[in-house]
Amino acid sequence: MNIIFKQLINLCAIGCLFFSWSLHAQTVLDGRVSVDFSSNWKFRKDDDSLDRIAKQKQQTVNLPHSWNIADVMDDTPGYYRGATQYQNTLDWKTSWQNKRIVLHVGAANQEALLLVNGKEVKAHRGGYTAFNVDITDYLHRKENARNTIAIQVNNRFNQDIAPLSGDFTFFGGIYRKVSLLLLDQIHFADPQYGSSGLRLTAKLDARQNATINLDGAIQNASTLQQAVLIETTLVDADGVTVKKVQQKEKLKPHSHSNFQLNMVQIEQPKLWSPELPYLYRLITRIYDSKGRQLDRLDNSVGFRWFSFDPQKGFFLNGKPLKLIGASRHQDFKGMGNAVPDSLQVQDLVKLKAMGGNFLRVAHYPQDPAVLKACDSLGLLASVEIPLVNEISESPAFADHSFQMQKEMIRQYFNHPSIIIWGYMNEIFLRPHFPKDKDRQEKYFKSVVSLAQQLETLTRNEDSTRYTMIANHGNFELYHRTGLTKIPMLVGWNLYPGWYGGKIADFGRQLEHIHQQLPGKPLLVTEYGADADYRIHADKPIRFDKSVEYAVRYHQGYLNELIKKPFVAGGVAWNLSDFNSETREESMPHINTKGLLTWDRKEKNTYFLYQAYLRPEPFIKIGVTHGKKWGVRTDADSALLGSGWLQLPIFSNADSVELLLDAVSLGARKPVDRMVIWPVSLSRGSHTVKARAFHNGKLSGMDESMLDCEVLPYDLKRDKEWQELRINVGDNREYIDSLGNRWYPDQPYERGSWGYVKGEKYRLKNTGRENLGTDVNIRGTGDDPLFQTQLQRLESYRFDLPNGDYEIELFFAELDGPNDKENLLYDLEQREKKQDQKGIDRVFDIRIGDRALATDVNVRREVGAFRVLRRKFPLKVNDEGNLAISFIRKKGEPMLNAIRLKKINQSVNP
Ligand code: GCB
């Protein structure tokens, strides 16, 4: 069986094991018992804005848990960032009499205070790393005595704790598992930095013989001096013992002591790599003088060596390897950061299946299950602490950054997948003191000095990995201040072709950076384009949020990354869409640069990566769009009721053949791993089959069923249409929350439909090519439909056969005050504040002499950035040219979307 496949099965087994933990609550690992302590916590918010009764209200929750799942998605800016309490009970058992009880908290964002029976035991700051607390001495230790365990958690802004700001949501909660470790008086321990207390370094010499150095810490909580034996055993993937070493230690009473143990001369072990992530197991035990096992820890070991070369890129086990993959945020739709391990692991399985070999764990340490999955699947990884955008110059901020960096390194040290420790991301994005240049220079110096201290700390903690800082595109600033000199690797987050510039600028930027820093290995730590899976465009343009533009963008970037040897690698931003509460745009609160959606469905961009990166033959029919009318002229009559569909096929084949309803349409050559095949289809279901050919031989196949809706052009001759939905003022297709497609707008042409006169709404003072506003439209999830608009329009016309119809008009006022912040991540910072005054707009809507509505004033009726819908029944009986006129009274009339429904068509002789 293929080793990766085996690992996948193991990962599924891990998922099942976690599941069974919650059912059976206890897992015994010879010598230490881990009791799941995640169920039945009483939770309440200490929200000062609530009244006394609401404040007392408790909820029973299971961990992982977050209190921000709903409020990050609502229309009210902000989410609860404040104090909360979690409380549980623990009944003492006599069998625990000689045990130490250690509470392990996987993560609590971001300040936590642990109280046992009302006494404060430990405060922990920082929301992304674990902490351990020995609570034994605080417990009532009589059979069945009830103990209260409370954890106060607060996710308020605290200027001394990173992150201070960021394009992601700081979900509050105890969002990783909590367990009770029942330990012997003598056990491995790291009370200060939350690790297991055991660090292992696997090294290979020039002849590929290996050594494992163990650095451990043992707690002797007993009152006696104790002689112990430490034994460590290396076992291969088949369970065969490779080597065993032992060492005696004397432990003083009430002591915490360190030991070193070396396992040398491991002859030519199997190497770990993305193709073959071979893992050994290292079992380390403590025995007492009578041979009784006191504690045991198991770790995976992967033997590998690696290096970065500024000219030639990355090398693993002596071979060049281009690092390509994605960054990952940890949240998931409907769960915030409280995501079960099984779903987290699924992300890594998807990254591997995409053909990726590298994960940037951004912008903070994530669940250990993520790194375990990287070890098993053969994904290399970088992990970083959340110093994002800016720092505080306080000593407390620096101290806490050091603590976080140490916690991260010690807790994750043993993962063979990790090759890089990072500690800053775009730290000059929000430079303080913009109006005082001298003070600003001082601030820059503080940042550089903090970076230098973190660098030294990291190298002291771990001399086997590289260090990294990720910067944004303002090269000169990072260079001039000296920040680029500090880390061993410099990462660049580059977005030309998205926030500004052209896709083609990316290659030039890389050349420039390399020229300026020829001695520094270079990684592209971010690049990406929003791809709202509901938005499609035939002629995609920058910032239209269409999946099609994102595909084009990633093609351009991948070509450059692959071609330039000095680029060690690149990671797409981001593996999946993620929550960023302050963002608005087409999908408010979501950054849609994911290759997967927020609930991890594949977008076409994901398939593109598969076509670029998968080594074996690959073919996949992507998500389609572009169903258009067939009948435009008499010459087209044969196509009556047909539509053109843009069929995207992703493949690494030499050529691709397409079969439509079993009839071959010929073969085409993929360009940049893709064919866009325009196919004419009649209404209804069709099968499309794409066949891949490598060297003239059939190498793969994909099949898809298409249910084809056709947008009518000629409403009279085309008898089959039922409904026409137009995304007015927009040239993109949009799929709404009910699954209905809204089609691009068009100017009126005789015999068809469309607008007469009018101008598309444009965001003012922006370098972007925004189609419409980027402000959240309140009260709807279908923002893209209402964010675009036609202004100054005279009428909307339909040439219709006689009959009964229903017309629905949709309006949203897009000018005026809104509570949107300027979008921070516009890296070119071109956007200026919007016109805050607001325009008063009043108009009538008429059909001929009939007034449908008078004095329509959307702002007055519903407010700005809210939807007003108006529905009217219509009768057409003059073989009609239906013209809905918009008569200006004040300001300019406008329209955002229109829907025409056929109720009953008269039978014409
Ligand atoms: C960046 C940031 C990241 C953002 C991303 C974006 O450069 O590092 O946190 O989410 O850009 O999407 O704008």
Side-chain angles (χ1 to χ4, degrees):
M1 185 163 37
N2 163 319
I3 187 141
I4 293 181
F5 189 59
K6 253 197 203 166
Q7 307 286 20
L8 286 177
I9 292 178
N10 287 343
L11 283 172
C12 296
I14 293 172
C16 300
L17 181 68
F18 287 132
F19 186 59
S20 64
W21 274 5
S22 51
L23 292 178
H24 304 298
Q26 280 201 359
T27 307
V28 181
L29 275 176
D30 314 349
R32 60 168 57 203
V33 176
S34 169
V35 182
D36 178 70
F37 196 45
S38 299
S39 310
N40 288 325
W41 286 79
K42 299 275 175 275
F43 168 76
R44 69 159 209 257
K45 277 185 196 166
D46 290 336
D47 184 349
D48 289 336
S49 67
L50 297 176
D51 61 32
R52 201 172 47 85
I53 298 179
K55 250 179 147 178
Q56 303 293 318
K57 234 178 157 184
Q58 291 195 335
Q59 224 184 314
T60 303
V61 302
N62 293 331
L63 309 179
H65 170 257
S66 169
W67 62 76
N68 293 123
I69 291 172
D71 61 357
V72 296
M73 290 306 287
D74 62 21
D75 282 337
T76 314
Y79 52 104
Y80 183 68
R81 295 191 66 182
T84 65
Q85 292 232 25
Y86 290 82
Q87 197 168 305
N88 214 333
T89 53
L90 182 66
D91 293 342
W92 180 263
K93 294 186 180 39
T94 336
S95 59
W96 296 356
Q97 213 49 55
N98 289 318
K99 295 282 178 196
R100 299 303 297 180
I101 316 295
V102 172
L103 188 78
H104 174 83
V105 180
N109 196 30
Q110 77 171 350
E111 290 169 77
L113 180 65
L114 170 72
L115 296 101
V116 177
N117 295 323
K119 278 208 188 99
E120 290 184 12
V121 182
K122 163 127 183 165
H124 182 262
R125 308 176 118 199
Y128 303 98
T129 41
F131 57 97
N132 292 327
V133 195
D134 186 331
I135 57 171
T136 325
D137 298 339
Y138 298 84
L139 296 172
H140 304 312
R141 280 168 288 168
K142 280 204 191 104
E143 178 65 13
N144 292 330
R146 179 143 288 196
N147 293 281
T148 310
I149 312 289
I151 309 180
Q152 297 176 357
V153 186
N154 201 322
N155 65 338
R156 74 192 163 117
F157 172 82
N158 182 336
Q159 62 176 13
D160 292 329
I161 307 177
L164 302 173
S165 60
D167 181 23
F168 57 106
T169 300
F170 308 147
F171 289 99
I174 303 181
Y175 69 90
R176 287 183 197 150
K177 280 191 294 284
V178 171
S179 40
L180 287 169
L181 305 176
L182 311 182
L183 304 171
D184 197 275
Q185 298 292 324
I186 293 176
H187 55 267
F188 296 110
D190 174 13
Q192 210 182 346
Y193 298 108
S195 78
S196 66
L198 201 63
R199 258 208 271 197
L200 68 92
T201 311
K203 286 185 184 151
L204 285 150
D205 64 20
R207 307 224 313 274
Q208 299 216 7
N209 289 328
T211 309
I212 298 176
N213 302 126
L214 272 185
D215 265 302
I218 300 183
Q219 187 83 28
N220 176 10
S222 76
T223 49
L224 305 171
Q225 167 150 321
Q226 304 256 10
V228 294
L229 181 79
I230 301 163
E231 179 189 271
T232 194
T233 312
L234 186 70
V235 175
D236 72 13
D238 296 318
V240 177
T241 298
V242 176
K243 201 146 213 152
K244 188 183 277 187
V245 285
Q246 294 181 329
Q247 181 170 305
K248 285 186 181 147
E249 291 286 329
K250 270 214 172 68
L251 307 174
K252 293 203 180 103
H254 282 305
S255 65
H256 183 79
S257 44
N258 297 321
F259 68 91
Q260 260 104 41
L261 180 59
N262 296 332
M263 185 182 270
V264 291
Q265 276 299 310
I266 306 160
E267 276 166 31
Q268 308 223 323
K270 292 204 175 75
L271 297 183
W272 181 96
S273 68
E275 307 85 69
L276 204 70
Y278 192 93
L279 290 177
Y280 290 81
R281 203 150 50 97
L282 192 74
I283 304 161
T284 311
R285 297 176 168 102
I286 313 175
Y287 293 103
D288 69 8
S289 51
K290 296 193 187 92
R292 200 168 58 95
Q293 183 176 305
L294 304 177
D295 201 359
R296 164 181 170 161
L297 287 174
D298 284 22
N299 279 288
S300 295
V301 182
F303 294 99
R304 83 282 183 264
W305 83 96
F306 57 90
S307 60
F308 284 89
D309 181 288
Q311 310 301 328
K312 298 187 198 136
F314 179 70
F315 289 80
L316 181 72
N317 302 331
K319 291 188 212 129
L321 179 71
K322 186 71 86 173
L323 297 172
I324 297 198
S327 289
R328 175 183 189 264
H329 266 302
Q330 63 187 359
D331 59 303
F332 196 101
K333 185 178 183 179
M335 300 182 197
N337 282 348
V339 182
D341 285 354
S342 53
L343 284 182
Q344 311 224 40
V345 168
Q346 199 195 82
D347 275 3
L348 289 309
V349 171
K350 290 216 157 152
L351 178 58
K352 183 79 188 180
M354 186 179 103
N357 57 24
F358 186 61
L359 173 75
R360 178 181 176 209
V361 180
H363 290 308
Y364 42 77
Q366 298 181 8
D367 199 293
V370 169
L371 278 310
K372 255 190 213 158
C374 288
D375 297 342
S376 312
L377 291 165
L379 291 163
L380 293 141
S382 71
V383 192
E384 63 204 44
I385 55 166
L387 266 68
V388 178
N389 296 350
E390 58 190 316
I391 66 158
S392 288
E393 292 172 276
S394 67
F397 184 90
D399 285 347
H400 183 252
S401 303
F402 304 148
Q403 170 80 16
M404 270 198 293
Q405 186 76 350
K406 278 197 184 163
E407 287 180 347
M408 171 180 77
I409 297 174
R410 293 187 183 202
Q411 291 176 22
Y412 296 82
F413 193 93
N414 295 345
H415 292 284
S417 50
I418 298 177
I419 52 171
I420 299 167
W421 299 120
Y423 53 82
M424 279 180 180
N425 180 71
E426 305 194 348
I427 208 68
F428 290 148
L429 190 73
R430 275 193 166 182
H432 293 185
F433 313 107
K435 294 200 179 111
D436 180 346
K437 290 295 158 199
D438 291 343
R439 182 64 186 87
Q440 190 171 67
E441 284 306 312
K442 237 177 119 189
Y443 171 79
F444 289 148
K445 287 206 173 98
S446 304
V447 174
V448 174
S449 146
L450 180 61
Q452 187 58 67
Q453 292 173 73
L454 281 162
E455 178 70 20
T456 309
L457 178 155
T458 309
R459 292 197 198 191
N460 287 341
E461 283 286 314
D462 186 357
S463 59
T464 68
R465 268 106 176 186
Y466 280 73
T467 58
M468 183 175 79
I469 292 181
N471 301 326
H472 76 278
N474 189 344
F475 177 85
E476 304 312 324
L477 180 56
Y478 291 94
H479 196 40
R480 154 177 97 68
T481 49
L483 200 67
T484 49
K485 289 206 190 89
I486 295 173
M488 296 157 90
L489 303 172
V490 185
W492 295 96
N493 301 346
L494 303 175
Y495 288 89
W498 185 246
Y499 289 112
K502 296 193 196 69
I503 298 171
D505 297 338
F506 175 60
R508 288 191 278 275
Q509 273 193 16
L510 292 174
E511 296 288 348
H512 176 71
I513 295 169
H514 181 54
Q515 236 171 42
Q516 298 292 309
L517 292 172
K520 256 311 153 190
L522 183 165
L523 265 169
V524 181
T525 30
E526 281 180 32
Y527 61 93
D530 284 73
D532 184 329
Y533 70 93
R534 307 164 302 174
I535 296 177
H536 294 279
D538 270 358
K539 294 195 180 102
I541 55 167
R542 178 166 74 82
F543 230 84
D544 66 4
K545 321 278 163 79
S546 72
V547 175
E548 288 65 34
Y549 183 81
V551 165
R552 198 173 276 181
Y553 174 100
H554 283 281
Q555 284 171 318
Y557 273 64
L558 279 168
N559 291 344
E560 291 298 325
L561 288 173
I562 291 168
K563 164 164 101 190
K564 296 205 162 19
F566 62 83
V567 177
V571 266
W573 188 260
N574 194 283
L575 180 63
S576 63
D577 292 351
F578 59 91
N579 195 281
S580 178
E581 196 274 340
T582 50
R583 261 186 193 261
E584 303 206 354
E585 307 188 61
S586 73
M587 201 184 280
H589 316 298
I590 305 294
N591 183 319
T592 58
K593 294 192 187 70
L595 307 175
L596 304 168
T597 61
W598 199 17
D599 54 356
R600 286 19 180 204
K601 295 198 181 72
E602 291 90 359
K603 300 185 194 171
N604 284 353
T605 40
Y606 178 86
F607 302 135
L608 179 80
Y609 274 77
Q610 291 190 303
Y612 266 87
L613 304 177
R614 292 273 292 252
E616 73 286 354
F618 175 82
I619 185 150
K620 177 81 194 163
I621 298 172
V623 179
T624 57
H625 78 285
K627 292 163 191 174
K628 286 187 188 160
W629 52 87
V631 186
R632 290 178 70 92
T633 64
D634 279 336
D636 281 345
S637 290
L639 293 173
L640 185 73
S642 307
W644 284 101
L645 184 133
Q646 304 290 337
L647 192 72
I649 304 168
F650 300 93
S651 182
N652 53 12
D654 306 329
S655 79
V656 169
E657 184 194 8
L658 185 66
L659 292 97
L660 172 61
D661 297 325
V663 177
S664 176
L665 301 184
R668 295 189 179 196
K669 257 183 172 339
V671 176
D672 291 337
R673 307 294 161 113
M674 180 185 192
V675 178
I676 303 176
W677 209 310
V679 186
S680 166
L681 295 172
S682 59
R683 284 195 176 94
S685 295
H686 299 274
T687 51
V688 279
K689 204 182 261 183
R691 310 206 302 166
F693 290 87
H694 283 80
N695 298 324
K697 280 206 194 106
L698 182 67
S699 54
M701 199 160 69
D702 188 33
E703 196 171 325
S704 181
M705 267 299 262
L706 303 174
D707 193 15
C708 189
E709 180 183 62
V710 172
L711 176 69
Y713 176 80
D714 184 328
L715 303 174
K716 289 186 183 167
R717 280 197 295 161
D718 188 341
K719 308 275 186 234
E720 301 291 314
W721 70 275
Q722 292 303 324
E723 195 168 287
L724 197 59
R725 285 170 243 104
I726 310 301
N727 190 2
V728 175
D730 204 341
N731 46 15
R732 302 168 304 173
E733 186 178 306
Y734 173 70
I735 304 166
D736 73 14
S737 32
L738 299 171
N740 293 319
R741 285 176 188 264
W742 293 76
Y743 293 95
D745 203 5
Q746 60 172 352
Y748 171 76
E749 281 177 38
R750 236 182 121 77
S752 185
W753 53 268
Y755 63 86
V756 178
K757 298 217 172 120
E759 279 167 26
K760 286 182 184 157
Y761 172 93
R762 288 273 175 204
L763 200 60
K764 295 180 192 91
N765 302 321
T766 177
R768 300 192 202 152
E769 299 180 42
N770 265 55
L771 299 151
T773 180
D774 59 2
V775 175
N776 176 10
I777 307 296
R778 278 36 172 191
T780 177
D782 287 318
D783 299 69
L785 202 53
F786 308 113
Q787 286 173 327
T788 55
Q789 181 180 80
L790 211 57
Q791 298 187 332
R792 293 169 207 267
L793 86 162
E794 194 180 282
S795 63
Y796 216 96
R797 294 185 67 153
F798 301 91
D799 290 351
L800 288 169
N802 289 346
D804 295 322
Y805 299 89
E806 181 184 270
I807 190 119
E808 193 167 13
L809 307 174
F810 300 79
F811 306 95
E813 180 55 76
L814 305 182
D815 280 303
N818 68 82
D819 22 38
K820 179 188 176 334
E821 269 194 354
N822 266 2
L823 181 67
L824 170 66
Y825 295 91
D826 180 348
L827 299 183
E828 293 206 331
Q829 308 213 333
R830 286 210 197 139
E831 194 184 39
K832 308 265 159 42
K833 270 244 175 288
Q834 293 202 27
D835 173 10
Q836 294 286 307
K837 286 192 304 291
I839 294 162
D840 220 6
R841 203 191 295 276
V842 184
F843 53 93
D844 291 347
I845 308 171
R846 311 181 70 86
I847 296 180
D849 295 342
R850 178 182 162 204
L852 294 182
T854 48
D855 293 336
V856 177
N857 183 333
V858 178
R859 183 199 311 286
R860 191 161 326 136
E861 286 183 57
V862 293
F865 304 104
R866 291 186 175 275
V867 181
L868 178 73
R869 311 160 73 123
R870 286 288 171 91
K871 210 188 258 183
F872 309 100
L874 296 175
K875 199 174 228 3
V876 174
N877 49 22
D878 56 353
E879 264 314 313
N881 299 324
L882 180 75
I884 303 165
S885 314
F886 297 83
I887 321 266
R888 169 183 195 271
K889 289 213 167 142
K890 198 171 173 195
E892 296 296 341
M894 46 89 159
L895 179 67
N896 298 59
I898 191 164
R899 191 170 66 86
L900 176 72
K901 193 171 166 192
K902 198 190 268 178
I903 302 291
N904 175 23
Q905 190 178 324
S906 317
V907 184
N908 283 330

